[in-house]
Structure formats: structure tokens, C-alpha cells
């Protein structure tokens, strides 16, 4: 059987859009009547809560409140929609090359899964994205209340694929210690640098572009990958 492949999302399949995120949060701040720079800082400071606890509107209401704002429901809704539009836009940015690589993996019989540390705007946009139909399983931190590198989120993805973790290959840029987390549950790990050189200290196999992955997955290659 072709080995299941589990991908990270941001900086692995699509760019991370970090600067655009800050710009959008600044625009949301204006919508809800708080200082843009302060709301951007508050978003950065609360990323853990946003990954596993708060939805889009809760985030706006809680953080605006902490900054002395008292936005109306309409203002919160409008700011939330602005954030959701960003989530859709970032997923839409996936390249034709990446979609082709995923299609080729599927054609070769590899089951595909996603594990993403993501806020709810991304999880909500996922089902209608061009990426979604290529995946058998998608696990978002905001949906399951777990985030990488918690072993439980990797085990959950493997379980939903119907396989053991050691049968899986994990591919990611390495943010949040995700590569070590995947290795800890027995997955074969590849680091991608296509979008960002996030975890240069990782001493396992790495590749410059996602296109190199299929060669590494051919029988006999996985255990002796080219570094
Ligand atoms: Mg990533």
C-alpha cells in the first residue's frame, strides 16, 4: 500500500500570509474602534487561544474588550467577515503546481491528510477550497482543541486515516515544533523549505520544493532519503 502522507498547511502547501494577516487585523481594529497596532499585538499574544479555543467573533470581542473597546454586534460581525475573507483568500492562493503534486500522490494511491494549527476562519473556508477535495482527512487545531506538537493530534489524524502513526509520512515546514512532534509518534518526517526555512536546526531529510516528495516516497527511497 502507498504510505499515507500527512501535510501541514501554512508554509507547506500555501504561503503563511503573515504580513497580510497583520494588515487585515489592523483594518479590523478600525472597524471595531480600537488602536490597530494594539489589536495586532493582542492577536500575536493570544495565538494559542485562537488556535484551540476562540472562534473569529469571540476573538474580536474579547481582544477589543481588553483594549477598552465596546464594539456593537454589527461591528464584530463586519470585522469577523473581514477575517473570514482573508481565510478564503489565503487558501485560494494555493499554486497549480502544488495541486498537481497532490493529484499525482493520489493517483499513486497515497491517502492524504492535513494537520493544521489554524484559527477558525481557515477551518471554515477549507471545505470549499480547491485543496479540500484532494484530502481524505483534515484536522484543524481549532476544531479538535489540540495543536501540534501534541502527540494526540497526530494520532487523531492517523486514526481517521485508519492507519497507525508509524505508517504515515509527515511533511511540514517545521513551525511549532511539528517535525519533532510527528517523529515522536513514529511518523517518517520530511521538512519542506519551499515557502520558508522555518526549522533549519532539524537534522532529518529536507527538500527545497514539494515536487521532490514523490521521488522520496517511491519504494526503497523513504528510508534513505536524499538530504
Ligand atoms: Mg507550517
Amino acid at each position: 500500500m502507498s504510505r499515507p502522507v500527512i501535510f501541514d498547511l501554512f508554509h507547506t502547501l500555501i504561503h503563511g500570509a503573515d504580513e497580510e494577516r497583520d494588515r487585515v487585523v489592523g483594518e479590523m481594529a478600525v472597524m471595531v474602534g480600537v488602536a490597530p497596532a494594539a489589536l495586532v499585538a493582542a492577536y500575536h499574544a493570544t495565538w494559542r487561544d485562537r488556535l484551540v479555543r476562540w472562534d473569529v467573533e469571540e476573538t474580536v470581542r474579547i481582544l477589543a474588550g481588553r483594549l477598552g473597546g465596546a464594539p456593537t454586534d454589527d461591528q464584530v460581525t463586519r470585522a469577523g467577515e473581514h477575517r473570514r475573507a482573508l481565510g478564503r483568500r489565503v487558501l485560494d492562493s494555493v499554486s497549480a503546481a502544488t495541486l498537481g503534486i497532490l493529484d499525482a500522490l493520489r493517483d499513486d494511491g497515497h491517502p492524504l491528510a492535513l494537520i493544521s494549527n489554524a484559527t477558525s476562519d481557515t477551518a471554515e473556508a477549507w471545505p470549499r477550497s480547491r485543496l479540500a477535495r484532494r484530502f481524505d482527512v483534515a484536522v484543524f487545531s481549532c476544531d479538535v482543541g489540540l495543536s501540534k506538537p501534541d502527540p494526540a493530534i497526530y494520532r487523531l489524524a492517523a486514526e481517521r486515516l485508519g492507519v497507525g502513526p508509524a505508517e504515515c509520512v509527515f511533511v511540514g515546514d517545521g513551525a511549532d515544533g511539528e517535525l519533532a512532534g510527528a517523529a515522536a509518534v513514529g511518523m517518517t518526517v520530511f521538512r519542506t523549505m519551499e515557502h520558508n526555512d522555518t526549522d533549519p536546526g532539524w537534522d532529518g531529510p529536507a527538500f527545497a520544493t514539494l515536487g521532490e516528495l514523490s521521488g522520496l516516497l517511491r519504494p526503497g527511497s523513504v528510508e534513505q532519503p536524499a538530504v
Side-chain angles (χ1 to χ4, degrees), residues 8 10-12 173 175 178:
D8 166 53
F10 298 112
H11 285 138
T12 295
D173 66 292
E178 65 180 352

Side-chain angles (χ1 to χ4, degrees), residues 21 82-92 121-122 125:
R21 272 171 216 287
H82 199 49
R83 178 77 188 197
R84 289 199 169 86
L86 170 70
R88 292 191 292 270
R89 207 157 58 239
V90 174
L91 284 176
D92 274 350
D121 49 305
T122 299

